[in-house]
Amino acid sequence: MTGVYESPKPRINASLLSQYIGRPVCFVGRLEKVHPSGKALILSDGEGKSASVELNDPLDEELSGIVEVIGMVSNKGTVMVVSYTQYREDKISFDLELYNEGLKVLHDFPQHYPFEVSLSG
Amino acid sequence: MWNQGKYGEASMAGYTQSPGGFGSPAASQGGDKKARTRAQQIVPCTVSQLMSAVQAEDVFKVGEVEIAQVTIVGVIRNTDKSTINIQYKVDDMTAAPMDVKQWIDTEDMGVDNSVIPPGSYVKVSGNLRSFQNNRSLVAFSVRVLEDMNEVTSHMLEVVNAHMQQSKPQSMMGGGAGTNMMPTAHASMSSTGSYSGASMMLVNGLSANQNQVLSLIKSCHEPQGISMQDLKQKLSSMSVTVIRQIVDFLSNEGHIFSTIDEDHFRSTDNEA
């Protein structure tokens, strides 16, 4: 699914998942649970709501803390992960609640933070 | 290190150009400053904005905002190092990853020229370039984020910068950098500075703030509208929230208190 990398990936939280079914998204959340198979994770967003994300291959590393995943939203509202990044917190911890507030601002002002390229005439 | 002292630069240049020293007429100095700082702002942007920017000769514009020097925050997807430069592809989620080129200064031992690995979040500061329909950034700084809250702060700075500068009376001022991030985690001072510290704009406000402000404006009594009235009319907002908004509006200069701390009038009075 290399198309996901090249597309805009709107930053969303769990409440918005249902509005982005079939679309690429970027989801940032706190790792809550890893499925024994290593192929599914539960992440919680800044509002405390949870999202399920599924990986193609089982995790081959220890993940903890804040994780950002990009992928497509499935019909079931889970994120089919194309890639993930762990947010470093070795020096300063990440304020997930504040990030969630930031998300609201982005969605309130899409004209100033577009998740799309408009072709200029 | 790129400096934030755009204001300083402009006024120093003004000083040397006018033999009369600082006593020279403010008008011409102001004019010089304006022309100079307009081209020297560093504007926080998204890759999508850079790709959508309209180019007229040498000038790029995102809506009303003229951009030259910009900052973006994103994750490195790709690297390619040669002897003279490092090329990155930086993904900020708003569009396809952007080409970023950083020249290697082989003589400057103070600069770290090691390649930053893919998967790292960075803040890139540089100039927007267009070559054969391909947009890219020529970076003078690519810095690994140590505080991931800079992702959040950049998001907010982008919206703020573009919102403020979309107004017709753009306050060019001296390019005083305003760090809008209210969190304790706000990182080092070198986040992008941009002009636009005007206190006079109504449209820079959130929906709630606008609602409160409109109510205050609509009251034509000499002592203004009372907290009681605001509470009554804004049943969806808690007293705490109203109080916060009123404090904010007052700090920003949109309203002032009259007979006591619970009565407010708008500074912008419609007769």
Side-chain angles (χ1 to χ4, degrees):
Chain A
M1 273 195 274
T2 43
V4 172
Y5 279 108
E6 304 301 311
S7 319
K9 301 160 281 289
R11 290 184 175 272
I12 61 165
N13 57 17
S15 312
L16 291 171
L17 280 169
S18 55
Q19 295 177 36
Y20 284 82
I21 293 185
R23 295 171 60 180
V25 296
C26 171
F27 184 95
V28 178
R30 180 164 283 117
L31 184 62
E32 301 290 352
K33 267 206 185 120
V34 180
H35 190 269
S37 66
K39 287 180 71 170
L41 318 173
I42 308 274
L43 301 177
S44 64
D45 67 13
E47 291 178 334
K49 305 209 173 93
S50 296
S52 285
V53 310
E54 294 178 24
L55 309 171
N56 272 329
D57 305 305
L59 268 185
D60 59 0
E61 56 176 333
E62 284 290 321
L63 266 193
S64 66
I66 307 289
V67 177
E68 174 186 89
V69 299
I70 63 168
M72 302 286 284
V73 182
S74 73
N75 290 337
K76 301 177 292 172
T78 62
V79 181
M80 308 304 288
V81 176
V82 165
S83 94
Y84 64 84
T85 307
Q86 181 161 352
Y87 277 17
R88 63 185 289 186
E89 294 188 281
D90 53 328
K91 299 228 164 98
I92 301 184
S93 60
F94 182 71
D95 190 334
L96 189 58
E97 289 71 31
L98 192 61
Y99 172 80
N100 193 73
E101 293 299 307
L103 282 191
K104 291 187 195 166
V105 172
L106 297 195
H107 289 272
D108 275 348
F109 297 100
Q111 70 275 35
H112 298 305
Y113 203 96
F115 279 102
E116 60 177 6
V117 175
S118 49
L119 302 167
S120 37
Chain B
M1 273 301 197
W2 48 278
N3 68 340
Q4 284 181 290
K6 309 290 184 281
Y7 186 78
E9 272 180 85
S11 59
M12 280 201 18
Y15 178 76
T16 53
Q17 278 172 19
S18 44
F22 276 119
S24 321
S28 59
Q29 273 198 337
D32 272 341
K33 257 188 260 182
K34 256 197 175 96
R36 196 149 306 155
T37 48
R38 188 192 298 269
Q40 289 197 25
Q41 302 169 51
I42 187 161
V43 183
C45 292
T46 62
V47 170
S48 54
Q49 285 167 334
L50 300 182
M51 299 303 285
S52 309
V54 175
Q55 184 178 10
E57 291 169 2
D58 278 341
V59 173
F60 291 101
K61 268 189 167 185
V62 175
E64 298 287 314
V65 185
E66 212 176 285
I67 54 172
Q69 291 188 40
V70 299
T71 57
I72 60 169
V73 168
V75 59
I76 295 188
R77 294 284 183 216
N78 236 296
T79 66
D80 187 2
K81 178 166 178 159
S82 72
T83 42
I84 52 167
N85 66 29
I86 307 176
Q87 297 199 55
Y88 294 108
K89 285 207 184 273
V90 177
D91 184 357
D92 77 344
M93 312 302 163
T94 63
M98 172 142 239
D99 290 321
V100 171
K101 182 179 294 190
Q102 185 179 29
W103 295 104
I104 297 182
D105 187 346
T106 48
E107 288 176 7
D108 187 349
M109 300 318 275
V111 177
D112 179 12
N113 287 311
S114 49
V115 179
I116 300 168
S120 310
Y121 253 96
V122 293
K123 174 173 264 184
V124 178
S125 308
N127 287 283
L128 183 61
R129 292 271 183 269
S130 183
F131 181 64
Q132 293 179 345
N133 257 343
N134 196 322
R135 296 265 166 101
S136 64
L137 278 186
V138 175
F140 48 81
S141 162
V142 180
R143 172 173 64 83
V144 173
L145 294 191
E146 297 195 331
D147 177 359
M148 290 305 291
N149 293 297
E150 281 195 72
V151 170
T152 311
S153 64
H154 184 77
M155 281 163 29
L156 298 175
E157 285 171 23
V158 168
V159 173
N160 185 60
H162 291 266
M163 203 152 70
Q164 291 219 16
Q165 297 210 26
S166 291
K167 298 315 152 198
Q169 238 70 33
S170 270
M171 15 27 279
M172 284 304 169
T178 316
N179 193 336
M180 297 299 290
M181 198 57 222
T183 180
H185 295 306
S187 61
M188 36 252 123
S189 54
S190 46
T191 34
S193 63
Y194 46 84
S195 83
S198 166
M199 309 291 197
M200 300 300 289
L201 304 174
V202 169
N203 287 341
L205 307 178
S206 72
N208 277 352
Q209 289 164 349
N210 260 315
Q211 232 187 326
V212 173
L213 184 60
S214 310
L215 276 178
I216 298 178
K217 274 187 175 177
S218 66
C219 176
H220 299 301
E221 317 263 318
Q223 77 274 19
I225 192 171
S226 70
M227 205 43 183
Q228 279 293 77
D229 288 338
L230 283 177
K231 270 191 286 191
Q232 250 181 352
K233 299 195 171 148
L234 297 164
S235 45
S236 62
M237 284 190 223
S238 71
V239 173
T240 328
V241 169
I242 301 181
R243 181 49 77 176
Q244 273 174 6
I245 293 180
V246 153
D247 285 345
F248 170 80
L249 292 174
S250 175
N251 279 336
E252 293 295 301
H254 296 297
I255 63 175
F256 59 95
S257 53
T258 57
I259 55 179
D260 62 24
E261 279 178 11
D262 287 335
H263 285 79
F264 308 98
R265 277 190 70 177
S266 160
T267 47
D268 176 21
N269 278 311
E270 304 143 2

